[in-house]
Each structure stands twice: as structure tokens, then as C-alpha cells.
Amino acid sequence: MDFTAFAQSRKSTRGFQNKAIPKDVVDDIINTAKWAPSSYNTQTWYVHAVAGEVLAKIREGNTKNTMAGKPHVRDFPYKEDYEGEHRRRQIDVAIQLFESMGIERDDKEKRMDWMLRGFRQFDAPVSLVLTYDKSLEPAAITHFGLGSLAYGIVLAAWERGIGCVMICIAMGYPDDNFPANDVRSVRTDNADFVSYQGF
Ligand SMILES: Cc1cc2nc3c(=O)[nH]c(=O)nc-3n(C[C@H](O)[C@H](O)[C@H](O)COP(=O)(O)O)c2cc1C
């Protein structure tokens, strides 16, 4: 497959087979992704790959805290609420996902279940947490670099038949019977967000 078709074939995976990913496969994915560009080649990133009991413990803690209504603590500030066309797109993909899973608008129980799955990173067997040194703050340039690494990871995984969803980066072998895995999110036209100058 050429790169264009390959990149367009990738989509988020939210249902995973109960199958571990060997450490050398994860390492190979990171080995590929680290060729991502970074500002002045500073490579200001750390990858914490988590699986097994350690990941199970993190999940347990997240679920407990969420159920107890504990507010989420963010390591860096960001605007929580999207507006305008951004909000519209956020709603559009949520509708696609809920429809695929048969979750009705007013079905509080199923919506809660979906939210908790999200906090459990959809029970993926591996989670990659990308971090950087606090001394780099304010870290907009570093966020840019981590974004390029993250996409490199997702593509390198996809090439190996491994799906991801970017909550941290949850990854695993896709469960082909999980309805939300069929969701093909839409993209806006280039004309809506690309400006060409000097052509
Ligand atoms: C920074 C970031 C955070 C995300 N957080 C979530 C999330 O919390 N829950 C979720 O289901 N998907 C999450 N996603 C996946 C997006 O919903 C998904 O990439 C988007 O809808 C486009 O769909 P696609 O990846 O299938 O092309 C996140 C993606 C990114 C890049």
C-alpha cells in the first residue's frame, strides 16, 4: 500500500482483542516513530510504555477516582470546552460512535459505561504515556514534537496490524467485531483550514 492510501486507512481503535503485544513489537514501533522531527533535533520526549499489572492498577485508580467524582488534575492548562465548528465536529463523531454502539441519547447507563471505558483506555493491553521535562515549560514547541512522535507511533503500530486511540496512546490488536471500530470519522475540506500563499 502506498503512504497516501495507508494514512487514509488509519482510524482509531476502541475495542481490542485480549492479546498482549510483545515488548519487542512495542520497541520496534517506538524505534520507527522516533524518526519523527523535533525542534533542533532536541527529542524532548519520554515514552512510558505500560502494560500488565501496572496498567491494571492505573485503570483501577482512574475508575475509582472517577466514580468518586474526584476532579481531574491536568498537568498543563488547556481549554476544556470546544466551540463553534470544533464543537460541531466533536458532537458529530460522538454521534457516529454512539450510533455504532447502539447507545441512545438518554441511556445514562450505557453512556456512563462508555465514559468509564474511555477512562480505562478501552481496556487496551498497552498504553504509551508521552511526557517531557517540566523545565521545558512553557512547552508549545515540545507539544508540537510530541504530536509528531505520537502520530509516528500510531502509524507504525497500524502498519503492524495494531490499532491505537490517543488517550495517552492506548494500543492493541483490533477486535473486528467491536462496532465502534467501524466508525470512519469525517474530515473537513482542505479549503476550510489550509491557506496557500505565493503559489
Ligand atoms: C489528543 C487526542 C485526544 C483524544 N482523546 C480521545 C478520548 O478521550 N476518547 C476517544 O474515544 N477518542 C479520543 N481521541 C481520538 C479522536 O476522537 C479521533 O482521533 C478523532 O475522532 C478522529 O477519528 P480517527 O482517529 O478514527 O480518524 C483523541 C485523539 C487525540 C489526538
Side-chain angles (χ1 to χ4, degrees):
M1 203 189 284
D2 66 16
F3 181 73
T4 301
F6 173 71
Q8 290 177 349
S9 77
R10 186 218 52 88
K11 52 192 160 71
S12 289
T13 301
R14 295 180 178 84
F16 300 92
Q17 297 173 39
N18 185 14
K19 182 176 166 187
I21 308 176
K23 187 177 164 214
D24 62 322
V25 173
V26 177
D27 211 47
D28 198 33
I29 289 168
I30 296 167
N31 244 331
T32 306
K34 73 183 179 194
W35 291 94
S38 62
S39 174
Y40 297 106
N41 198 26
T42 44
Q43 303 165 61
T44 51
W45 48 55
Y46 295 99
V47 181
H48 307 270
V50 192
E53 279 302 306
V54 184
L55 183 52
K57 241 189 186 157
I58 293 172
R59 277 195 181 123
E60 212 176 289
N62 278 351
T63 305
K64 249 190 211 154
N65 289 341
T66 305
M67 296 301 275
K70 217 171 162 183
H72 298 126
V73 183
R74 305 286 184 193
D75 287 332
F76 46 84
Y78 76 89
K79 197 168 149 68
E80 299 269 345
D81 299 319
Y82 289 108
E83 291 166 18
E85 60 185 341
H86 302 150
R87 175 75 180 142
R88 183 181 49 72
R89 290 183 199 134
Q90 180 187 17
I91 291 171
D92 284 350
V93 82
I95 290 173
Q96 281 184 280
L97 287 166
F98 284 0
E99 270 181 2
S100 77
M101 295 297 295
I103 303 174
E104 304 281 348
R105 229 186 134 74
D106 49 3
D107 190 335
K108 284 201 178 117
E109 206 174 300
K110 279 193 179 167
R111 289 177 78 114
M112 180 61 150
D113 175 64
W114 184 257
M115 192 190 79
L116 289 174
R117 276 173 192 252
F119 283 119
R120 296 198 310 270
Q121 303 181 314
F122 296 97
D123 301 316
V126 171
S127 179
L128 302 187
V129 184
L130 309 188
T131 65
Y132 56 86
D133 284 331
K134 200 131 187 99
S135 60
L136 291 160
E137 305 239 271
I141 295 287
T142 281
H143 292 186
F144 209 95
L146 263 69
S148 67
L149 177 70
Y151 190 43
I153 288 171
V154 169
L155 289 179
W158 194 242
E159 189 190 24
R160 290 160 177 79
I162 292 169
C164 299
V165 61
M166 280 205 204
I167 318 177
C168 307
I169 303 179
M171 62 165 68
Y173 297 96
D175 173 358
D176 293 335
N177 296 316
F178 191 75
N181 285 349
D182 292 333
V183 166
R184 177 35 113 191
S185 59
V186 294
R187 292 292 185 273
T188 192
D189 289 341
N190 283 10
D192 291 338
F193 71 101
V194 181
S195 85
Y196 292 99
Q197 287 164 44
F199 275 81

